[in-house]
């Protein structure tokens, strides 16, 4: 596996100029090669797997690197990064940027816009320069590891990410392990559920939570289905929006109820068979939601029950794979990811996929 050469400043400026015209909504058709390569170099996507969400994340980081002020604000409007502006016509974004500099639209176009594009390209080069991570090896899961797995007569690449779940970018559906009461972990804890809850919430300037999005939407689902204070069947999967994680290209969060709180204790019970049921229900739900979200293609799974559930990681993977292999054999339109916070957990997943491949 090789990594791309350093991006060219001139080529980056040209691609940023086209992005200014098309806006973020045009990224799926632009396919800007230099920006895609720079996103890989910055660690925003595995080699060969960068897409629109990774490019958007790259441009956002580059604009943040500009440090605010007139330059940073104008760049944010130029590319449609401000909330509510991603689908603004190019002329409206240019007009707003000109207002920030206090000049006419024509003056901004001829002088300041070129500065905005050049400075953004410089910021991308600064971000890309220190990276170029080494290829993952059998002894190191690294920030990601792509494992080619044979399914029937084809090979399916499965990506294992070693990171906090809120660092994922450009994955359509992230699946969270939930308890059968569908109650999320407290925001100050370290579980995957808590991390997603924090990252998806809308926050104020001091970091205060203004909208606890996932908790609010799960509560609404519970009320609609008459389950307040009651459990749902193990294996149930409930969808919510991604809240603020939409800024990282995440479309949906699926909450899979796989662990059952043990009454009168702080412990949980888990039947491994419910893991397979939850995985099957994840893909069943995603196929259903494609009527509203036709772009749903990629799904990221954790090792269900391997945290507070107390299930051994290799056992969790085995029961996930029972259902996952069946889903991939049925439908070749899915891109599958796993996420693990710690390298040892990622190692378990990579080893499990390798064993499937060898077997």
């Amino acid at each position: 596996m090789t990594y791309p050469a350093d991006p060219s400043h001139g080529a980056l400026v040209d691609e940023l100029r086209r992005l200014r015209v098309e806006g973020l909504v045009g990224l799926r058709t632009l396919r800007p090669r230099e920006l895609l390569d720079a996103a890989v170099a910055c660690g925003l996507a595995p080699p060969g797997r960068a897409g629109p969400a990774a490019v958007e994340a790259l441009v956002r980081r580059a604009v943040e690197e500009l440090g605010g002020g007139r330059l940073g604000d104008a760049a944010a409007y130029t590319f449609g990064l401000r909330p509510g502006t991603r689908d603004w016509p190019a002329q409206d974004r240019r007009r707003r940027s000109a207002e920030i500099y206090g000049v006419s639209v024509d003056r901004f176009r001829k002088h300041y816009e070129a500065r905005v594009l050049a400075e953004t390209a410089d910021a991308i080069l600064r971000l890309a320069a220190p990276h170029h991570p080494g290829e993952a090896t059998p002894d190191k899961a690294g920030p990601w590891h792509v494992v080619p797995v044979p399914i029937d007569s084809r090979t399916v690449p499965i990506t294992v990410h070693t990171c906090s779940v809120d660092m994922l970018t450009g994955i359509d559906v992230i699946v969270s392990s939930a308890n059968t009461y569908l109650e999320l972990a407290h925001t100050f804890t370290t579980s995957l559920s808590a991390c997603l809850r924090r990252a998806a919430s809308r926050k104020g300037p001091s970091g205060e939570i203004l909208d606890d999005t996932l908790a609010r939407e799960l509560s609404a689902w519970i009320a609609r289905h008459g389950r307040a204070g009651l459990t749902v069947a193990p294996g149930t999967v409930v969808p919510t929006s991604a809240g603020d994680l939409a800024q990282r290209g995440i479309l949906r969060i699926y909450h899979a109820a796989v662990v059952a709180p043990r009454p009168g204790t702080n412990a949980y019970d888990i039947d491994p068979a419910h893991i397979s049921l939850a995985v099957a229900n994840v893909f069943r739900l995603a196929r259903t939601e494609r009527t509203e979200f036709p772009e749903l293609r990629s799904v990221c799974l954790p090792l269900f029950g391997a945290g507070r559930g107390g299930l051994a990681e290799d056992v969790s993977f085995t029961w996930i794979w029972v259902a996952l292999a069946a889903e991939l054999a049925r439908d070749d339109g899915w891109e599958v990811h796993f996420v693990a916070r710690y390298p040892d957990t990622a190692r378990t997943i990579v080893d499990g996929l390798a064993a499937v491949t060898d077997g």
Side-chain angles (χ1 to χ4, degrees):
M1 186 181 297
T2 58
Y3 285 82
D6 289 337
S8 154
H9 183 272
L12 282 174
V13 170
D14 288 341
E15 290 185 352
L16 289 170
R17 185 175 292 110
R18 291 199 298 274
L19 178 59
R20 186 207 70 78
V21 174
E22 297 296 329
L24 296 176
V25 294
L27 271 175
R28 289 189 181 274
T29 56
L30 278 178
R31 300 297 300 172
R33 177 49 49 196
E34 294 286 329
L35 288 171
L36 289 166
D37 286 349
V40 171
C42 288
L44 294 171
R49 306 292 290 279
V55 172
E56 180 174 340
L58 171 70
V59 175
R60 284 186 182 279
R61 288 192 184 183
V63 170
E64 290 170 1
E65 182 84 0
L66 298 180
R70 292 195 306 176
L71 178 62
D73 288 343
Y77 277 98
T78 292
F79 300 112
L81 296 173
R82 286 283 184 260
T85 66
R86 64 185 297 121
D87 63 346
W88 278 17
Q91 62 269 27
D92 290 349
R93 287 183 274 111
R94 177 181 277 165
R95 183 179 302 111
R96 183 68 183 93
S97 299
E99 291 172 357
I100 290 171
Y101 272 92
V103 298
S104 68
V105 172
D106 190 58
R107 173 66 174 162
F108 179 81
R109 177 181 63 82
K110 292 179 177 177
H111 180 67
Y112 293 97
E113 192 170 89
R115 179 186 299 175
V116 168
L117 297 176
E119 289 291 330
T120 304
D122 284 340
I124 290 172
L125 290 174
R126 289 194 298 272
L127 289 169
H131 290 272
H132 298 289
E135 180 180 0
T137 69
D139 298 320
K140 179 182 178 185
W144 58 73
H145 191 118
V146 181
V147 182
V149 178
I151 300 290
D152 293 337
S153 60
R154 57 193 172 86
T155 298
V156 177
I158 296 180
T159 305
V160 181
H161 303 264
T162 309
C163 65
S164 177
V165 68
D166 59 330
M167 296 305 295
L168 295 174
T169 298
I171 297 174
D172 300 327
V173 178
I174 294 180
V175 185
S176 178
S177 182
N179 60 58
T180 51
Y181 284 93
L182 295 175
E183 291 187 357
L184 296 175
H186 292 296
T187 56
F188 52 79
T189 62
T190 60
S191 70
L192 182 143
S193 171
C195 189
L196 285 172
R197 182 178 182 178
R198 285 194 302 272
S201 64
R202 181 169 60 86
K203 302 174 186 66
S206 300
E208 71 276 20
I209 294 178
L210 303 178
D211 183 8
D212 194 352
T213 310
L214 301 190
R216 172 175 54 79
E217 293 187 15
L218 277 176
S219 295
W221 186 95
I222 290 169
R224 285 197 308 272
H225 292 80
R227 305 308 298 173
L230 303 175
T231 61
V232 297
T236 298
V237 178
V238 175
T240 63
S241 73
D244 268 24
L245 280 169
Q247 297 184 38
R248 300 187 66 85
I250 312 300
L251 297 180
R252 306 291 281 166
I253 306 296
Y254 286 0
H255 306 265
V258 292
V259 296
R262 191 179 302 163
T265 73
N266 291 322
Y268 293 88
D269 293 320
I270 181 167
D271 181 342
H274 293 152
I275 292 176
S276 296
L277 178 59
V279 171
N281 284 336
V282 162
F283 286 90
R284 183 178 296 113
L285 174 61
R287 285 192 295 271
T288 300
E289 287 210 314
R290 275 177 167 172
T291 58
E292 183 178 356
F293 304 97
E295 63 271 45
L296 289 186
R297 177 170 171 264
S298 52
V299 175
C300 184
L301 302 167
L303 285 185
F304 295 110
R308 289 289 304 277
L311 196 65
E313 292 177 347
D314 58 339
V315 173
S316 176
F317 174 83
T318 297
W319 286 88
I320 289 172
W321 184 251
V322 168
L324 183 56
E327 293 297 330
L328 292 176
R330 176 188 306 169
D331 185 346
D332 63 0
W334 295 109
E335 176 185 303
V336 176
H337 301 250
F338 283 89
V339 63
R341 186 180 183 92
Y342 302 108
D344 286 349
T345 305
R347 176 77 271 151
T348 298
I349 300 170
V350 171
D351 287 347
L353 292 170
V356 169
T357 300
D358 294 341

